[in-house]
Amino acid sequence: MRIGQLAQKAGTTTRTLRYYESRGLLPARRSGNGYRAYGEEDLRLLRQIRLLQDFGFELEDTRPFVECLRAGHPAGDSCPASLEVYRSKLAELDQCIARLQEVRDQVGAQLARAELEAQAAQPGGPKPQCELSERPIEPEGN
């Protein structure tokens, strides 16, 4: 198939395919008339690349998966280098999740504080509380 057909089947653009070709991820085979020629195996490579990118992998991270498929393995993630990329990505995701949990906890604490302050500012709202004792602060002289 030609580049336009491959792009359409893969759900991408010819420009993207040329870029992948320039990065060595997609083979650059030419037919007798000089047109780029692609087969079903190239579509399989593209689907692997697109899936990984949808998961947040950088383009260069897809290289071991592509090389694994090119080596004849039925799945791009059955080679040691691909497994290492998975491990690295999981560690990165775990760090992101931990950081997001910290931020979530901080935002939750800020929200709780802000809600208390907003309630205290309303007429008839609850009295301000001491953060250490959780008891209302009584005005002096009562």
Side-chain angles (χ1 to χ4, degrees):
M1 74 186 92
R2 292 181 45 191
I3 193 166
Q5 295 166 311
L6 180 62
Q8 184 178 17
K9 282 187 175 186
T12 191
T13 65
T14 57
R15 182 178 180 189
T16 298
L17 299 184
R18 286 186 198 100
Y19 179 69
Y20 291 171
E21 183 181 307
S22 74
R23 299 296 307 240
L25 293 169
L26 191 61
R29 290 184 300 274
R30 301 281 179 163
S31 62
N33 60 8
Y35 291 121
R36 288 175 172 88
Y38 301 98
E40 289 300 317
E41 67 278 359
D42 298 314
L43 181 58
R44 204 164 134 225
L45 292 176
L46 283 173
R47 287 184 174 150
Q48 179 76 71
I49 292 168
R50 304 278 296 173
L51 176 67
L52 292 168
Q53 286 194 301
D54 286 348
F55 289 159
F57 286 76
E58 297 293 327
L59 184 59
E60 193 56 34
D61 292 337
T62 68
R63 188 172 301 280
F65 297 85
V66 169
E67 290 171 357
C68 190
L69 286 171
R70 280 188 187 155
H73 294 274
D77 59 4
S78 60
C79 296
S82 302
L83 297 173
E84 188 54 40
V85 172
Y86 274 153
R87 286 184 196 100
S88 176
K89 188 59 155 179
L90 278 177
E92 178 186 323
L93 290 170
D94 287 342
Q95 289 175 348
C96 287
I97 290 168
R99 178 65 184 131
L100 286 172
Q101 187 60 51
E102 289 173 11
V103 170
R104 186 188 189 290
D105 292 345
Q106 291 171 355
V107 169
Q110 288 292 99
L111 172 62
R113 180 201 49 77
E115 286 176 334
L116 281 175
E117 287 179 7
Q119 289 174 353
Q122 294 176 356
K127 295 179 181 176
Q129 295 193 347
C130 173
E131 293 178 7
L132 299 176
S133 70
E134 300 283 331
R135 295 188 343 224
I137 299 172
E138 296 295 330
E140 290 184 25
N142 282 349

